[in-house]
Structure formats: C-alpha cells, structure tokens
Amino acid sequence: MNEINQNSLADIEFQMRWISPEAEHTDSCLVMVNFWRDLLPDAIYEGLMGAGIGDEKTFGFAAGEVLAAHDPNQKIRTDRKNFDETRAVPAFGRFYPRGVLRGVYNVFPQNVAPMRCTGVHEKSVDIDFNHPLAGYALEITARVHTIYDKPFDRGGNCRLLMDEIASGPGMQARYQGMPTDFFHDKAFCRTDETEDAAFYESPRLVRHLDQRAIKTISAIYGRFITPEMHVLDLMSSWQSHIDQSTGFQKLTGLGMNEDELAKNERLTDYLVHDLNKDPRLPFEDQSFDLIICTASVEYLTSPLSVFKDAARVLKSGGVMIQTFSNRWFPPKAIGLWTELHEFERMGLVKEYFLQSERFSNPAALSSRGWDRPETDKYYPDMPQSDPVFAVWAGV
C-alpha cells in the first residue's frame, strides 16, 4: 500500500509545537493509526488522505480547537483537609493525580488523571482540572513513516488520538508565568547519602538507554555541534552519545569514574570531578561553546550552583543541553525527581535554567512512542523505546 486511505493502518509521527510565556516546546509522538477506527481532528484526517511514506503535513489550531477550551468552571477551591497529604503535599504549580482529593464531586481515589495545584492556603487549596494545554495554540506536523496492508478489521477500540498525543505535554510549563514551587525541604535528599565517590568507584560500562533513544539524543546534539566547537560533556561516562559523523574541535569529559572516562573514545581530554561535593567547574571562564549532559541531571544535589557555574564557562552565545529519560540509579537520584511526572521533570530542569538567572530563551523537546530495538535486552517485555526529554538554554 503506497498511499493512505480510509482503511489504512499507518505509523504517524505527530510533532506538536507550542509556546508558553517562558519557553518553546516540541513533543514528538509516534502513533499507529487505524484510519477506519481511530478519531483524529477532521483537518488532520482529511489532510493525510492520499499521503505516502515520507510525506508530512502541518496544521495550525487555535486554542480550544482540538483540545477542550479553558473552562473557568474547571477551577475550584476546596478545604485543605480534602487533599490527602499522606500521599503528597500540595505546592503551587505542581501536578497531582486527582485521586489525592477526597470529598470532591466526581473525583474518585482511583483517578490518576492529572490536576494542577494553583494555590496553597492555610485552610484551602486551589485546583485546576483543565488540560495543561488548554489556552494554547498548537501547531501539529504529521509525518508518515510506514503504511501497512490490513486484510480485515474486526471490532477493537475507537481511540481519540488527540488524547493520546497530548497526554503529558503542557505539564512542563509554568502556571500563568509564575515559577513552579518544586523546592521543598527534602527535594534534594537521596536514599543513599554516602559519599558519591564510593558509589561511583567501580566502573559501570553499561548502556543506560536503548539504541533508539541514544540515536534521538545524538540527533539533538548534532543540531548544535559544529566542527570548530570545544564541547564539554558534563557528568560524562564511557559514551558521549555524539554520532561518529559529528565533528568538533575538542570534547572534554567531566565525570566521576576515571576508568569510564578513559574508555570514551570520543573524548579528547577528561577530568574526574564530583559536582555534588564541589559544584564549581574546574575550568576557566568562557572555555566552551557548548555543554551537553546526558541522563545525569537527576543526580545533582546543588543544581542551581552547577547551572550558574556552567554559564560562567560558556562563551557568549553558548548553549547547555540537558537530556534525560525515565531511567536512573534509584539510590542517588534526588527525591524530588522520583515524585514528578515525566513531563514535569522538563519543567524542573527549565526552572534550573531560569532560576540560575544566567540563561535565556529555554526550549524543551520530548520524543516518545518509538519501537524498542529487538536487540535490546528489555525487548519484548518493554516494546517501546525509552522516551527522551531535552531542555536547553543559552547565555
């Protein structure tokens, strides 16, 4: 089958772009669409009819056109005793499963749909049940990856695909431009508070992400790296996740284990340094054009200090990129990281950039829904690739 018709089955990548007051956001989600059964906005459905592999169509939607419009009636104030603080403590701008509420009409303990806390008072809390993207204009690009022959179609579920595509995006944005209250007293506490040097003493020459996710991260870095650049791989290990075809002048690694760093063939030089013990980077001012950091930001116990000093060692116009997924070493990840929804974590990293007061023009990107490579040790128990989240900003 070469073109999409009303009976087609196809892998479609939906790339959704939107702008909040403080950042630009892009989410890429691969979805298998059954055009006979699944429901898409009319403009997207009709626009994809006749499309072939590799084709892409872009659509613009006003706020409220493809997701429920912002509804003031979906905002409530309830007695604080109705918020189950044995499960979570309410904080401004944070998201929680609706089931933490008790005694609220049409909310049940099993409900995990997100709601946002928009105010915390001595005896009450304010809650917003609106979709996180309510009120935002959206640009959606649909790119056709594969079209399958489908000999028959019997029964099955009818999916509202916008609910799937837009599940999560929006949670990384501030509420009405005000900083999210992430930083409670135990935010940066960890299960294992022993010296990090002891934990990282033995080399771990393992891949922390599957190859599909690594390919996505490499593509992100490749958008920024140019041949004349001096790049810092912050919190580096035995791989830097930079494609072999991507050239640079120098790549300096800063990490915790010398054996791991020595095995990284892409590094031109490296240093062993514990950022949780000393958040100051051991480099001169304006030493680097670009800083990359892969699957490590969740281990920083003094992230604002590290981000401020990262800005110091960047040249004017330089950029720092943080990439991560939903996998980590539990003993050493900060407690706050484990509390957050995947998309909230992008909001947290964005706050690191903004509250350091050294960076500007942040942007965020997420990529999910891709097939896990069959050679990966977690296939087929985990059929989808590890999601990738990225946040970057410049100085």
Side-chain angles (χ1 to χ4, degrees):
M1 183 177 293
N2 297 318
E3 295 183 346
I4 290 175
N5 59 49
Q6 62 184 3
N7 291 311
S8 293
L9 191 67
D11 287 331
I12 310 291
E13 177 189 357
F14 293 96
Q15 190 174 84
M16 182 164 57
R17 289 176 289 272
W18 52 284
I19 299 174
S20 68
E22 75 279 1
E24 295 184 2
H25 308 267
T26 303
D27 177 68
S28 177
C29 182
L30 186 71
V31 179
M32 181 178 285
V33 180
N34 186 328
F35 282 86
W36 177 76
R37 194 167 59 199
D38 297 330
L39 299 179
L40 282 164
D42 289 345
I44 297 179
Y45 180 89
E46 294 167 4
L48 287 174
M49 288 297 110
I53 294 173
D55 289 349
E56 62 179 52
K57 309 279 185 175
T58 299
F59 311 89
F61 299 101
E65 194 172 354
V66 291
L67 295 171
H70 186 271
D71 182 357
N73 294 321
Q74 291 295 307
K75 300 168 71 174
I76 67 168
R77 174 168 291 180
T78 187
D79 195 305
R80 186 158 176 172
K81 68 182 181 182
N82 291 334
F83 195 106
D84 186 355
E85 296 194 28
T86 65
R87 297 175 59 185
V89 177
F92 175 82
R94 286 284 311 280
F95 284 88
Y96 304 94
R98 297 184 185 191
V100 303
L101 293 181
R102 299 173 292 200
V104 176
Y105 175 72
N106 208 30
V107 174
F108 306 97
Q110 299 80 11
N111 193 335
V112 296
M115 63 180 189
R116 191 164 210 170
C117 177
T118 58
V120 182
H121 316 285
E122 183 179 355
K123 295 185 178 181
S124 63
V125 290
D126 299 331
I127 301 295
D128 189 343
F129 293 116
N130 282 289
H131 191 285
L133 287 175
Y136 287 106
L138 303 174
E139 181 184 271
I140 299 176
T141 296
R143 182 176 297 113
V144 182
H145 283 266
T146 312
I147 304 173
Y148 302 95
D149 289 325
K150 185 176 58 175
F152 60 87
D153 210 327
R154 296 175 183 164
N157 296 322
C158 175
R159 298 179 299 165
L160 295 171
L161 289 182
M162 278 306 301
D163 288 350
E164 186 171 333
I165 297 165
S167 177
M171 298 174 75
Q172 68 268 47
R174 286 176 166 181
Y175 183 76
Q176 296 183 346
M178 294 180 286
T180 301
D181 183 11
F182 286 114
F183 308 120
H184 56 72
D185 291 345
K186 296 183 179 180
F188 300 105
C189 294
R190 301 170 297 173
T191 303
D192 181 359
E193 291 289 9
T194 59
E195 286 286 331
D196 288 347
F199 183 84
Y200 294 104
E201 183 177 8
S202 298
R204 292 176 172 85
L205 304 177
V206 297
R207 290 189 174 92
H208 302 297
L209 302 171
D210 69 79
Q211 284 298 118
R212 169 69 224 195
I214 291 172
K215 181 179 178 181
T216 299
I217 290 171
S218 297
I220 294 170
Y221 293 159
R223 291 165 52 179
F224 292 86
I225 298 174
T226 55
E228 73 280 1
M229 281 188 170
H230 187 181
V231 181
L232 172 62
D233 185 0
L234 194 66
M235 304 176 79
S236 183
S237 182
W238 68 289
Q239 289 183 315
S240 291
H241 306 310
I242 297 174
D243 190 86
Q244 290 294 330
S245 64
T246 301
F248 44 77
Q249 186 179 55
K250 291 180 67 178
L251 178 63
T252 298
L254 188 73
M256 288 290 293
N257 185 282
E258 184 165 5
D259 289 341
E260 292 178 6
L261 294 168
K263 288 186 178 296
N264 189 329
E265 296 178 354
R266 302 236 65 193
L267 298 180
T268 55
D269 60 306
Y270 63 82
L271 289 171
V272 176
H273 183 80
D274 184 348
L275 288 172
N276 286 341
K277 192 172 184 179
D278 179 6
R280 183 174 175 82
L281 278 62
F283 304 108
E284 298 295 326
D285 294 358
Q286 299 187 37
S287 296
F288 300 98
D289 302 285
L290 178 71
I291 297 174
I292 62 174
C293 183
T294 309
S296 297
V297 67
E298 59 266 35
Y299 304 116
L300 289 174
T301 58
S302 300
L304 293 182
S305 296
V306 172
F307 275 55
K308 287 178 181 179
D309 208 54
R312 176 187 63 81
V313 304
L314 276 172
K315 297 176 183 178
S316 178
V319 172
M320 179 160 74
I321 312 169
Q322 295 283 345
T323 61
F324 46 94
S325 186
N326 57 3
R327 294 167 60 182
W328 56 82
F329 293 129
K332 287 299 184 180
I334 60 170
L336 174 60
W337 192 264
T338 67
E339 298 171 10
L340 301 178
H341 186 281
E342 290 180 337
F343 280 83
E344 274 192 290
R345 293 179 190 131
M346 283 196 289
L348 173 63
V349 176
K350 180 157 54 65
E351 288 300 327
Y352 292 165
F353 279 116
L354 293 172
Q355 295 196 32
S356 72
E357 299 182 337
R358 300 290 192 276
F359 291 88
S360 59
N361 301 318
L365 179 150
S366 48
S367 178
R368 55 205 171 98
W370 300 91
D371 292 335
R372 182 178 294 273
E374 294 184 11
T375 55
D376 187 83
K377 66 179 180 179
Y378 294 111
Y379 181 88
D381 295 330
M382 298 171 63
Q384 286 197 347
S385 172
D386 300 317
V388 171
F389 305 97
V391 185
W392 61 86
V395 295

